[in-house]
Amino acid sequence: MWKHFYLVYVTLFIFSCTHNTIQVVNEEKGKLTATHELVINGEKKFYLDSVTAPFPPYTQMITDSTGNNLFTFLNPYNNSIYFYNYTDTNYINRIQYYREGANAILKPAGYYIHNMDSIYIYNMPMTEIVLSNDAGMVNDKISLRSNDPEWPLYLPQYLLSTVNPIYEIDRHLIITGQSFFSIPEQNLSKFRFSAYIDIQNNQVNYSHTYPEEIYGKNSNWEGGLPTQVYPALSPNGSLIYSFPASHDLYISDYDSNEYKKVYGGSNNANTIRSIDREAKNTPDELVVAHYLQQDMYAAVLYDKFRDIYYRFLLKGVPGATFSTPKEEKPIMIIIMDENFNYLGETNIGTGKEWNWNNSFITREGLNIEFIGDDLNEDYLTFKIFSMDSIN
């Protein structure tokens, strides 16, 4: 697959350093030809109990021992993982975890079901991975921070979601984190945003740095959202990273710190700019307004059933202010083939209609949690998109 990277678009960054402001220009804007689009071809509705609400913070599709496809999700209200049959949407069971005692997990914020005896749960308050089972028993704890009180300067913090899941590669769990603040130039080459856990001995190593051309020169990307890192897993086991401020995708072997870049942008995306102000003097109002006004990329997903990629773009809202809801950003989904060639893109609406953080792939298509104008909180609803040719 690597040979194709040299046949696609070259790196598209053009920089301006006025007051350390970086400008990332989309040189392919308006030049790409769309041949495909996304259309809704189905729906899944999962009936919820009285203590479960829509918008679960994390979901995972698994296959059980009999070959059934199971949809699982986290209910933070009662510290539980729920299991449903994806095909007929019937409820199966749930695993509840304690908040007190020897088996306590204070706040699950993501998980990876390796099997029913090995469920890895991210316990956010302790910045740790807890190894548990389907009886709610804790068997081990793996710390993801050091004893150094300044560890957030060089180790990641984690905001896991369905589109930022825990992956398993070659008996290693890969957990993608981020810096929630702009990284000082002197720390850029030291900060690693991915944790690698060897599940044979629970040893943790860290890998992957932020690209200097985007996040270097003491550029100001305050607020956490522009520094979010979205991973995808390619069919050959490579990691594909989508950074919000880059029209490119960054590809790396899971055990390497080297990147290859390939264009993965939108035909409609504008130049993306960092904040033209020193980070330490940036008011929150400016941070929020700047993010809302900018085009920002988000998740990248690989569809193994159709051998294509989807990449989300959250369009800027001109004139947005601190009080503008972030849900007003329009959601574009870019479609690329297996070699990252542009196939098209679709505007599906805004965050008022879609919880795009809950998006995943099944044989049926691209599932995205649907909110709509008349949300029925008795159901967790997904619309299913498929790719169609443009006539």
Side-chain angles (χ1 to χ4, degrees), residues 122-142:
Y122 176 55
N123 186 19
M124 179 179 282
M126 305 305 295
T127 319
E128 66 183 6
I129 293 292
V130 176
L131 176 57
S132 184
N133 60 24
D134 60 352
M137 306 300 292
V138 170
N139 298 317
D140 207 347
K141 295 181 179 181
I142 307 165

Side-chain angles (χ1 to χ4, degrees), residues 75-117:
N75 181 348
Y77 178 77
N78 60 8
N79 252 31
S80 297
I81 298 175
Y82 280 65
F83 292 73
Y84 285 76
N85 185 304
Y86 176 80
T87 302
D88 60 21
T89 70
N90 286 332
Y91 170 79
I92 299 173
N93 60 14
R94 67 184 174 94
I95 305 171
Q96 184 161 9
Y97 294 95
Y98 303 98
R99 287 194 172 98
E100 298 178 346
N103 294 295
I105 303 177
L106 297 178
K107 185 180 179 181
Y111 59 89
Y112 178 75
I113 301 173
H114 178 71
N115 56 48
M116 289 296 123
D117 290 323

Side-chain angles (χ1 to χ4, degrees), residues 158-173:
Y158 305 89
L159 188 61
L160 301 181
S161 67
T162 306
V163 295
N164 179 20
I166 299 173
Y167 285 113
E168 181 181 351
I169 306 175
D170 191 24
R171 302 289 291 175
H172 286 77
L173 298 185

Side-chain angles (χ1 to χ4, degrees), residues 2 42-43 93 164 172 185-186 203 222 253 273 308 313 316 337-338 369 371:
W2 297 116
E43 181 183 74
N93 60 14
N164 179 20
H172 286 77
E185 186 73 19
Q186 65 270 23
Q203 294 298 305
E222 288 289 284
D253 292 336
R273 296 174 173 84
I308 58 177
L313 171 70
D337 69 14
E338 70 276 15
E369 185 179 357
I371 303 168

